[in-house]
Structures are given as structure tokens and as C-alpha cells.
Amino acid sequence: MSAAKAEILTRIRDALGPSPVVPEIPRGYRAAGSIAHDGVVEQFCAHVAEYRATVHRVADSEVAFAVRAILGEGKRVGVPVGFRDLGMPVVEDHGLSVAELDALDAVVTGSALAIADTGTIALVSGAASGRRALTLVPDHHICLVAASSIVPSVPDAVAALGPDAPITLVSGPSATSDIELDRVEGVHGPRVLDVIVFA
Amino acid sequence: MSFKTAARETLQDAQLRRNIGKATTLIREKRLRAVAELPDWERLRDAGEAIKASAMATLPEQLERLEAAVTAAGGTVHWARDGAEANAIVASIAKRVGTDEVIKVKSLATDEIELNEALEAEGIHALETDLAELIVQLNPDDKQSHILVPAIHRNRAEIRALFEQTIARGQSLGNEASAIAEAARLHLRNKFLTVPMAVSGANFGIAETGTIGVVESEGNGRMCLTLPRVLVTLMGIEKVLPSWQDLEVFLQLLPRSSTAERMNPYTSLWTGVTPDDGPREFHLILLDGGRTQVLEDEVGRAALHCIRCSACLNVCPVYERVGGQAYESVYPGPIGAILTPQLRGLDAAPSLPWASTLCGACYEVCPVKIDIPSILIHLRGRVVREEQSKLTPEALAMKGMAAAFATRRRYEAAQRLARLGRGPLAKAAIPGWTAMRDLPEPPKETFRDWWKRERGEG
Amino acid sequence: MRVALFITCFNDTLFPGAGKAVVTLLERLGCEVDFPLEQTCCGQMHVNSGYGHEAEGLHERFARVFGGYDAIVSPSASCTAHVRERVESIGGKVFELTEFLVDRLGVTDVGASFPHRVTFHPTCHSLRLLDVGDRPLRLLREVRGIDLVELEGARECCGFGGTFAVKNADTSMAMLSDKVRHVLDTRAEVCASADTSCLMHIGGALSRGRTGVRTMHIAEILAAQE
């Protein structure tokens, strides 16, 4: 044990005294699983749209068409390795360099789940969401959200997620509140966020 | 400088008062709406308070669990007794990486220990990437004035003018906030893509899993946490949360209390090092820096529960008038008034516990229910007992009044003397009051004299 | 009902009118009012200024003087909050006037008549320490002839804060000037409140500015039969 660690732990124990009181945690708030799923898709779409993301609702079979309609022709589009067929040329992320990522016009990925209450999408590093840099460097992110993956609340999401892979919770495009404490879109992360909710 | 003197200076700045008043008024109303949406808000606050208290009561165990979990996930954990020790660790990592530049995510802990200045002395430039921090950094005469929005004292026009003189020299940015954001994007883009080392703070460190959380808006955080080869996170030891599940409470409490949104744009959660995703090296520095000293005070230690949301600043009528700089600390406002004197020692900031009218607005909004007014009163008592002479005019007046109030006979005698402008109650009639306000005409008889006259002494 | 009046040293010495109005009002509503002459000060000023040790004897004294009563009524939200928190043995029996009227006596129409334009400043301690909510306004709305006008920024502190008004006089005045501006905006004749300490502060500026606006304790309006 380092000297610093030993000293800090000793200081803490001295400060707390021999028998510090450990309070019970009253978890009387709305727990995971306590809120019905009725209307979660509509609520999610409404809330994510309030962050000025663009929401598209389509059938599973129309996803590729919707992506092509958003992007138009001639864009360099990145996707995670082994991503679903979009019926258009794409660049798979076999470890693209930062410069290569920066040269993409857009990126299309899936997501792990979404939260209706807050309009939040959870990206979990892996096959569906890709690695973190892929959804960060390109300026336009098109994110697919399965309607069946939308959960009502933050506790539902926390219960479904875990520490094994990096997580990015995304609630709208990049924004800042640093100018007069008012939210304005578009700083360093993707400035355009399209969300395709499919069922 | 005492708070009174510093406040007298900032009160002169009408522009500052307008800017802060406008921003805090806006955010206060937004917060009320964001909080009203959750029917279980009070129960979340109760849980948040208890989780923090429980984490503090079991702190040695939680920190050791956190260290073990981070290490198991491929990270390296360092312990720093004070700021100098933490700064030296960061500098030595930068030197080993071989970089003379690091990019930074906004972090109060690094501001508190003056990391940027320490790195600069070692020839390493620390580049702030948060928009508000950048605004402050670009003006050598400026200082942070808010926990969440360090440049809250600057309005849009001032920021635009600053950018047109610095990072967007020779350009005309126009009046849209988005143009200001765009200028910052262009300025920092290449740095994000090329600088090999980043430094961040942490909103949470989860003991159970070793997961670190950073909550942000702009994406500068994601850039710093994801693209560089080496990531160093400085975390105050009070930021530890015992369990993964605790996130469900704080991811609701924090965004709605700070930017008054249902959720902030980006939250990053990572555990150690992940193959093929993000930095190859992760260092977590656990900082004491006075926190164990705060922990010694059984009443004052609740200040360590703070999650840095800044809701207490935004509702504080004192903060709104004087701004953050009058508190002369990276922690201004009500939370600063109880945290700064405890972190630095009461003798270093003895006037801050009086920088409040005890109106209670801060306690009302605090997402983890820190009873700031009660802690202010407690710290006032400590300053009086530990830092001041028993012979100050105020102490003598208080003693005199307590003696006068101790018996009815003395109290009534003091009332009679006071009507003649003498004695302990007259001295208490607050000297200096009439410089700016009138005093009411003294009544012809006290209430009790009236009662005795009307109803007798029976 | 027999009640004890806890006048507070501040009202006793400087604002006897508030106490007389409480007596008039409670007797009109059928209460028997006692005034224990042994009462002095509750110790709030000492505690809030950092001299808690000096207040210990005052807390004991308060408990002794008022120990025999089931209901203690005070025209001060601030002092009521103090003894409720610090004098555990009987703190629960102490009521701020508007709490007592609405909760214990169950009245909102107290038979008052006051044909004037009035605005009400709810003090911080009545709002946040006692949580009196809209009780004062419910009482005022029933007053005959009153023209009750809403105060903008009502929930915001006036800047008094006990010794704050002197120790940080510049900041206090900055807060006060905003409060006074809101009061003047209402074009009210009277600014009323449940604490004379805040009223002394607000009234001091209204008087210095020769605004012609009066300050009154809410009890004085509820006792009025003009």
C-alpha cells in the first residue's frame, strides 16, 4: 500500500470515529419495472424530438430505405462491422483511424436501449452501437432504436445495463448551456442526430 | 479579502448583475418544470441523501472496493493526499507520454488544486475544452464564477467579442449562439484528434464495478475520454458511490437540478480500459485535498454530499447579486460558503459562513438535501469559538444581551435604558443600519408595559 | 381556548402594535390570552450569529416560562421556527399566528375589515422553515374591502437576514432595492408580512425613499375593523 493511500485511509477512519452510523437507503422512488410500458414509444419520440433530434418511425423492413432517404446520394457513411444491409455503399469500422473517422459524412449505428422518460439513447460499445469514437467523430449520427428496446425510466435502463463495456447515454445532438444558461445545439459531438424508431 | 469587501467590488458591476440575474432567472423556472415532472422527486432526494451519507460512513471500504475494481479492469489507481501530490502525478504521466499539451474536460477538482498552473510550470499546456472554461481561459484577467457555467457572468455579446479577438480573430461571428459554438468547435477540433493525453474529473466513481461517470453537454467530454491514448481522471474521494444501482438515483437528480433538463446530452460511463475502444491507459487519482478534514466535522461533513449541480447558486439571492467571484473560490454560492472554509480551514475563509441571509432557498432545491443554512449556522459558531477573540465588540454585545435576557428584571431595565439610547439592547440596535435605511420611531411604551397597564401584573 | 402569547423581544421592544393586534384578534375569536411576563428572548439572534452557547440559558428559560401551556402563539414566523427546532420539550406547541388561526382555530374569515390596497411579503422563514404556504393569503383574502395585490418575486429574500443586514450591508441593500421596487410596482398602500424584522428592513427603505408606503404586521390588518 502506498504511503499516501495508508495515510488517507487512516485520516478517514480517524474522522469517522469507531462506529459511524450507516443509514438505510430509502428506495421509495419508482423502481425498475414499476412503470407500465404503455405509450413508451410515443413518449420517447416526443422527448427526444424536444432536444431537436429528428425522429423517424418506420417498420423494420423500411429501415434501410429510411436511412437512404435521410442521407441522399454520395455520402461517406460509416457503420459498425457486420451491420445490417442498408442497400448502399458503407465503410465498415475495422479500426478506422481518427482521420478516417473525421472524413466520414455520417455514421449509422444501432443502440442498446432507449429511455422514454428522458428521451435518452444508450449506446453500449459493441456490435450494435459500434465503438465510442465511431458515434462521436462524424458530424451526423443516424441511430436505430428498436421500439421493443424502449424502457419507461432511468431505473429500468440502469438495471438493464452493466459495467462490462463503455456506455454513452445520448440525449439529443451535442449542445451547450454555457451561453446565458440556455441550451443551444451543436458543439463538439455530432451536431445532427436522426433517430429511426423501428418496429 | 473578506466576502464583504469582495462583494462590494462585484456589486459595482451592473453588467455582471444583469447577466447573472438573467441566466439564473431562466434556469430557476426551467428547473421547477423539470422537477415537477417527476412524482417521486422528494423520494429521489431522500435516497440521494442517504446514499451519500452511507458512502461517507463506509468510505475506506468503498475506496478500496473502487480501487480493486478499477485495477481489475486494467486501470491504475493513485492516491493523493493533497493538490501538490495530485499535480505531480499528472505531470509525471504527461512526461512519460512525452506530450507538452493535454486536453481537459471541465473539472472543479482540477481547478481546486490549480492543476493547469502546476502543469504550466512543468512546461505542459492544459487546454480547457468546455466552452465556458475556454471563455475564462482566453481572458487572462477573468475568473470562474459558477460551478456549472464558469462564464455565467459573460453574456452572448461579450463572448462573441472575446472570440473575435482570440480564436476567431478577424471574423464576424454574428449574434447567433450557434456561431459562437461553431468557433469553439473549429478551434478545438484538431486538438481533440491529435493530443495524446486527456485529463478529466469525475461525477461518480462506482465502488462495486469500478465504473467512472462523466456528465456533460457539448461532447468535449466524450472527445477527451475517448480519443487520446492516455486518460487521467482526478476524483475527490467523496465522489464514490457504493453500487451500480445508485446511478438510477443520481442520473435523475443531477441533470434536472443542474441544467434543468430531463437528461444532459451526453453521459459517459467506462470501467478501466476496453480493448479496441478508447484510451490504452487509464489512471484514476483519488484526491483527499482537505476532504478528510471536512469529514471530521459531524455536522459540516454533509457538505461532502454535494454533486456539483449548482442549483443552490441559481436560487441564492446573495449569489445573484454578487456573482461567483466574490466568494474567491472555485466553489461559490451557498455550497461554497460551507465547503470552502472547511476544505481550506476556517481561518482561510472566516467570513464566508456569513455570506447568507439564511433564507433557505438553497436547502429547498438541493438534490441531496444538504441543510446548508444549518451548516452555515454551525460554522458561524465554530468561527466564533475557534477563530475569534472573546473580546470583539460583537462578542461582548452578545454576552451583554444574553445577560440582559437572563432575568425579567434585567430585561425590563434594559428596555428602559434602550429607550434612552443606552445599555445592551441599544448597542444591539445595529450600528450602521441608518446609513441606508430609516429606523422606526421608538414606541412610546413597550408591549409589556401596555399589557401591565391594561391587564395588570397578575 | 387558553393561549400564551410569545411576543418576542423584538416586537415587545420595537413593535408593540403587532402584539396588541394579536391580543385583539385572538380575544375577538374567543381565546383567553395570557402574557407570561417572565418571557424575554428565544435566543435566535445568538444562535444564528454564531453564539449558540449564549443561547442555551435562553432556551431553558423559554421552556420554563411557557411549559404550562398547550398552545403558544407568536406574531413571528422566524422566532417560532427557532423554538420549534431548538426547544424540543415544547417547540411543538408553538404556533405562528396564521398557522394557529387556520389550523387550530379553523378560521380564515376573522371578521376583519381593511379597505386598502395591500401587498404581502411572505418571509423566508414562514415559507421554508414553517411551511405556512398560503395560509396568510387565505386569511387576507377574507378581509372586507381589502385590495390584495400579488408581489412579484414574493418568495425571494428581502435581504434582512439578522446581522447580515449590517455585516454585508451592500449586498443586503442590493437585495432590498429589488424587493422595494417590486413593492412599489404593486402601487399598494401597505406592505404586510408575518415578521416585523423583515418589515423593519423593508420599511426602513420605503421610509428613506419617502415612498409613502406603510408596513404593517399581518395581525394588524386581521385585527382591523375600519
Side-chain angles (χ1 to χ4, degrees), chain B residues 125-146:
Chain B
H125 180 62
L127 182 64
E128 295 290 352
T129 65
D130 170 77
L131 181 55
E133 290 280 4
L134 178 67
I135 292 163
V136 174
Q137 196 176 38
L138 285 173
N139 182 348
D141 298 326
D142 211 350
K143 272 192 249 144
Q144 293 112 331
S145 64
H146 190 272

Side-chain angles (χ1 to χ4, degrees), chain B residues 321 380 394 438 448 455, chain C residues 27 156 167 207-208:
Chain B
R321 302 308 184 301
R380 289 176 185 187
E394 181 185 87
D438 288 344
R448 64 178 51 232
R455 312 287 169 109
Chain C
E27 289 181 346
E156 186 163 303
K167 279 184 193 286
S207 163
R208 179 61 58 93

Side-chain angles (χ1 to χ4, degrees), chain B residues 202-328:
Chain B
N203 290 98
F204 326 107
I206 299 163
E208 179 185 3
T209 61
T211 307
I212 307 296
V214 166
V215 171
E216 53 128 357
S217 293
E218 297 167 14
N220 65 309
R222 292 179 69 192
M223 291 281 179
C224 293
L225 302 171
T226 311
L227 299 183
R229 199 168 77 241
V230 177
L231 171 62
V232 180
T233 297
L234 177 73
M235 181 181 124
I237 53 175
E238 82 283 16
K239 292 277 178 242
V240 69
L241 295 178
S243 74
W244 176 266
Q245 191 193 355
D246 297 334
L247 279 176
E248 70 188 17
V249 174
F250 291 97
L251 288 178
Q252 295 191 78
L253 289 176
L254 179 55
R256 290 182 199 256
S257 299
S258 58
T259 54
E261 295 164 306
R262 296 189 182 106
M263 191 65 89
N264 50 292
Y266 299 130
T267 296
S268 294
L269 298 161
W270 74 95
T271 310
V273 171
T274 305
D276 304 322
D277 190 340
R280 306 290 81 231
E281 247 182 69
F282 171 57
H283 299 266
L284 177 65
I285 304 173
L286 298 174
L287 172 71
D288 178 347
R291 285 156 177 76
T292 50
Q293 183 178 302
V294 185
L295 206 57
E296 283 172 18
D297 185 324
E298 282 185 40
V299 176
R301 68 169 61 139
L304 294 175
H305 300 178
C306 174
I307 59 173
R308 313 285 188 257
C309 72
S310 73
C312 64
L313 279 62
N314 298 334
V315 298
C316 178
V318 174
Y319 174 85
E320 185 174 328
R321 302 308 184 301
V322 304
Q325 294 168 355
Y327 296 80
E328 300 188 299

Side-chain angles (χ1 to χ4, degrees), chain A residues 41 56-63 84 145-148 196-199:
Chain A
V41 178
H56 314 261
R57 291 187 63 177
V58 302
D60 193 352
S61 58
E62 297 165 349
V63 167
R84 64 190 291 163
V145 173
S148 59
I196 299 179
V197 179
F198 65 96

Side-chain angles (χ1 to χ4, degrees), chain B residues 4 8 321 354 357-359 364 380 394 398 405-406 411 415 430 434 436-438 447-448 455, chain C residues 12-13 27 37 39-40 46 48 51 61 125 128 155-156 167-168 170 178 201 204 207-208:
Chain B
K4 180 182 184 171
R8 186 174 291 153
R321 302 308 184 301
W354 278 269
T357 61
L358 307 178
C359 82
E364 194 173 49
R380 289 176 185 187
E394 181 185 87
M398 288 289 174
F405 292 139
Y411 170 62
Q415 282 186 320
I430 20 187
T434 50
M436 292 174 281
R437 288 149 292 207
D438 288 344
F447 175 81
R448 64 178 51 232
R455 312 287 169 109
Chain C
D12 184 8
T13 310
E27 289 181 346
L37 282 158
Q39 64 181 288
T40 59
H46 285 90
N48 286 1
Y51 297 85
R61 180 180 182 82
H125 289 180
R128 302 194 185 89
R155 291 176 60 87
E156 186 163 303
K167 279 184 193 286
N168 286 292
D170 300 302
D178 289 340
H201 182 62
S207 163
R208 179 61 58 93

Side-chain angles (χ1 to χ4, degrees), chain B residues 11 98 102 109 111 148 167 170 193 221 238 279 327 351 424 458:
Chain B
L11 280 165
V102 300
D111 293 339
L148 176 74
I167 60 173
L193 303 186
E238 82 283 16
Y327 296 80
S351 63

